[in-house]
Amino acid sequence: MIKELFQLHIIALICGSLLDFVIGDPYILPHPIRDIGKLISFLENKFLGEIKENTKREPEKEKRRGIILWFLVVLITGTVSFLIIFITYNS
């Protein structure tokens, strides 16, 4: 049973890799990684602001805000992923 599941996962991984290599990521379709990158950029600008050369930096403050930023990104992407899977399985 486990051996068969492992083989199916390997086959799915190989097929997915080949499809990605042949087709690639079409720019006209939304992609989750691009959306996560946009989320990170948005939150980074809100929490950390734009850092200029002459700006006095506060490492402790940046670290705290960076931890909050990380937590929010993980929470938001995890929640969205959970909701997609939950809705898909229950429909």
Side-chain angles (χ1 to χ4, degrees):
M1 171 93 177
I2 293 176
K3 183 179 177 183
E4 291 149 355
L5 283 174
F6 182 74
Q7 289 173 340
L8 289 174
H9 281 83
I10 293 296
I11 291 169
L13 179 67
I14 291 170
C15 290
S17 297
L18 287 172
L19 277 173
D20 189 49
F21 179 74
V22 172
I23 299 172
D25 293 328
Y27 289 103
I28 58 172
L29 296 175
H31 195 279
I33 298 301
R34 278 191 236 136
D35 293 337
I36 293 170
K38 289 176 188 175
L39 174 66
I40 292 170
S41 295
F42 173 77
L43 291 175
E44 197 171 51
N45 286 334
K46 291 292 180 190
F47 281 101
L48 301 176
E50 189 175 326
I51 298 174
K52 299 174 185 162
E53 288 183 32
N54 299 332
T55 306
K56 182 181 175 189
R57 299 184 69 170
E58 301 175 46
E60 283 300 313
K61 191 175 183 181
E62 286 183 12
K63 183 177 181 180
R64 282 193 307 271
R65 289 180 176 185
I67 291 170
I68 294 169
L69 186 142
W70 172 84
F71 182 75
L72 283 174
V73 170
V74 171
L75 180 70
I76 292 168
T77 55
T79 302
V80 169
S81 300
F82 171 79
L83 287 174
I84 290 171
I85 292 169
F86 182 79
I87 292 168
T88 303
Y89 275 101
N90 291 317
S91 60

